[in-house]
Amino acid sequence: MNNQDTLFKPDDFELVREDQSDFVDEAYAKESYWRDILSRFVKNKGAVIGLFFIFLIILMAVVGPGMNEHTYDSQIIQHQNLAPRIRAIESLNIGIFDGSEKMSTSTGVVEVNKYVNPEKETGLENTYYWFGTDVLGRDIFTRTWTGTRISLYIALVAVLVDMLFGMSYGLISGYFGGKVDMAMQRFSEVLNGIPTLVLVTLLIIVMKPGLFTITLALALTGWIGMSRVARAQVLKLKEQEFILASKTLGAKDFFIIFKEILPNIFGQLIIMSMFSVPNAIFTEAFLAFVGLGVPAPNASLGSLISDAFKSFTTHPYMIVFPVIVLGVIMLSFNLLADGLRDAFDPKMKER
């Protein structure tokens, strides 16, 4: 049977759809670059949660210290070592935030409530400390949110140093190359070889301890990571066709750096700056913990943790709240940075 003998009947073939809608081109709404990034970011639940907690912590850092009559340095010796007590939760009788705490004694574990004494009036029956008080009778709630301000300030300093100095340093070093790149990279390597703790200690010897000293120490070495990322991105792009076209048309070097190259790598630089924030906050907290932070009676999360660590076995509530706030801040910025990375470069998620 040859091909000429093959006969097709009318019902041998049928269209998938009678209206032939599969053959009509569909029109998709055009989305801008930033709208596309925003849509991918919103789909990342972890990043959205991290951003929400960052806004919440910023709000509490702004209004928290003013939510009661206490200040970060006010001391009431009669109110020392009071456990957390919240009126709304105390009325529920669920055994937490009612002013009671369990203490280990020679006779065993006993439950103590210094706010209320059935045998005599304590004068604290109508007193409420939401996070409790420390060994000097200072309100931990107020001191915690005051210390959070310092952590957020350090985060802002880290971003500004990265974006203003580290970014420019890396862009210039990578673009010009040659001897300029060699000299700039050797300088950054020498500076990076000095440990931050040693640098802060030397600065404190020369200058008085304080927030400015810590800020200066972070500013001296905190930009090096950003400069390396910016330099690597420039080395990838500076031989591209659009850069060569700009040079051919007579564009100046700094115009090419900040108008042609920077917009193409800005997403990666934002991501790097967000990842540097938790490291800067942890560095400040560590320095405060070892006694190289802001001097008393100023409060930072690191100094609060350091002071509360001494009373951890007897009054563990003193260290719980600063640790939780510090942990939430660092975790939130990490989640935000991870979400920004996936939003700016979806291919990174597949690697």
Side-chain angles (χ1 to χ4, degrees):
M1 185 174 182
N2 52 32
N3 293 335
Q4 296 179 350
D5 297 332
T6 302
L7 299 176
F8 294 103
K9 297 179 181 179
D11 58 348
D12 283 345
F13 300 94
E14 59 182 10
L15 293 174
V16 176
R17 294 183 181 178
E18 293 294 336
D19 57 358
Q20 300 185 6
S21 60
D22 284 347
F23 304 101
V24 179
D25 292 336
E26 295 185 15
Y28 294 93
K30 181 181 178 181
E31 287 190 356
S32 66
Y33 173 71
W34 291 104
R35 185 179 293 274
D36 187 39
I37 290 175
L38 180 61
S39 63
R40 287 197 296 266
F41 179 81
V42 172
K43 293 178 182 178
N44 190 320
K45 296 181 180 179
V48 174
I49 293 174
L51 184 62
F52 169 77
F53 276 105
I54 289 174
F55 281 130
L56 180 62
I57 288 173
I58 292 175
L59 176 64
M60 290 303 300
V62 172
V63 304
M67 293 179 65
N68 54 43
E69 68 277 11
H70 304 287
T71 61
Y72 72 92
D73 58 349
S74 60
Q75 301 180 19
I76 305 177
I77 300 300
Q78 295 80 6
H79 294 184
Q80 62 182 355
N81 300 332
L82 293 177
R85 187 187 187 194
I86 302 176
R87 187 191 302 271
I89 299 179
E90 182 185 32
S91 61
L92 300 177
N93 294 322
I94 57 178
I96 58 174
F97 293 102
D98 56 359
S100 62
E101 60 175 323
K102 294 182 179 180
M103 301 184 63
S104 299
T105 64
S106 58
T107 59
V109 178
V110 296
E111 186 171 325
V112 180
N113 192 329
K114 297 181 180 179
Y115 292 91
V116 181
N117 190 339
E119 300 178 357
K120 62 178 181 179
E121 293 185 2
T122 62
L124 302 174
E125 289 78 10
N126 295 321
T127 301
Y128 292 88
Y129 286 100
W130 297 332
F131 287 179
T133 61
D134 60 11
V135 294
L136 297 177
R138 296 175 295 191
D139 181 30
I140 297 178
F141 179 86
T142 303
R143 289 176 61 79
T144 296
W145 296 119
T146 301
T148 303
R149 292 179 177 180
I150 293 180
S151 295
L152 295 177
Y153 165 78
I154 293 297
L156 179 62
V157 169
V159 173
L160 291 178
V161 169
D162 275 349
M163 300 304 292
L164 295 180
F165 189 74
M167 178 187 70
S168 301
Y169 193 93
L171 290 173
I172 294 172
S173 176
Y175 179 80
F176 288 103
K179 294 182 179 179
V180 174
D181 182 47
M182 178 71 68
M184 295 179 72
Q185 290 306 306
R186 297 298 80 77
F187 172 76
S188 63
E189 288 175 1
V190 171
L191 195 60
N192 191 44
I194 305 175
T196 304
L197 184 59
V198 174
L199 186 62
V200 174
T201 305
L202 294 176
L203 287 175
I204 290 177
I205 294 175
V206 178
M207 307 168 61
K208 63 179 181 179
L211 189 58
F212 177 76
T213 305
I214 297 176
T215 302
L216 183 60
L218 293 175
L220 287 176
T221 58
W223 53 270
I224 296 177
M226 170 63 78
S227 69
R228 290 176 175 174
V229 173
R231 175 179 176 270
Q233 295 295 326
V234 171
L235 292 176
K236 290 170 55 178
L237 292 180
K238 72 175 186 177
E239 300 298 335
Q240 296 290 325
E241 288 80 0
F242 71 97
I243 301 297
L244 297 177
S246 296
K247 291 181 178 179
T248 304
L249 294 173
K252 302 296 182 180
D253 291 331
F254 284 96
F255 178 87
I256 295 175
I257 292 174
F258 293 102
K259 294 294 185 180
E260 298 288 349
I261 296 178
L262 180 58
N264 287 279
I265 65 174
F266 193 66
Q268 288 82 357
L269 300 184
I270 292 178
I271 296 167
M272 181 62 190
S273 66
M274 288 296 102
F275 275 116
S276 68
V277 167
N279 184 49
I281 293 175
F282 179 78
T283 300
E284 185 279 327
F286 170 74
L287 294 174
F289 183 81
V290 298
L292 298 178
V294 293
N298 294 320
S300 71
L301 294 178
S303 61
L304 289 175
I305 294 172
S306 177
D307 294 339
F309 183 75
K310 304 170 186 175
S311 305
F312 178 71
T313 56
T314 55
H315 306 288
Y317 65 85
M318 293 183 185
I319 199 174
V320 170
F321 299 105
V323 166
I324 290 177
V325 174
L326 179 62
V328 170
I329 291 175
M330 296 183 64
L331 179 61
S332 298
F333 274 106
N334 275 316
L335 290 174
L336 177 61
D338 188 66
L340 289 174
R341 181 191 62 192
D342 294 340
F344 277 101
D345 191 359
K347 296 180 181 178
M348 291 289 293
K349 193 173 182 180
E350 301 174 0
R351 296 177 185 175

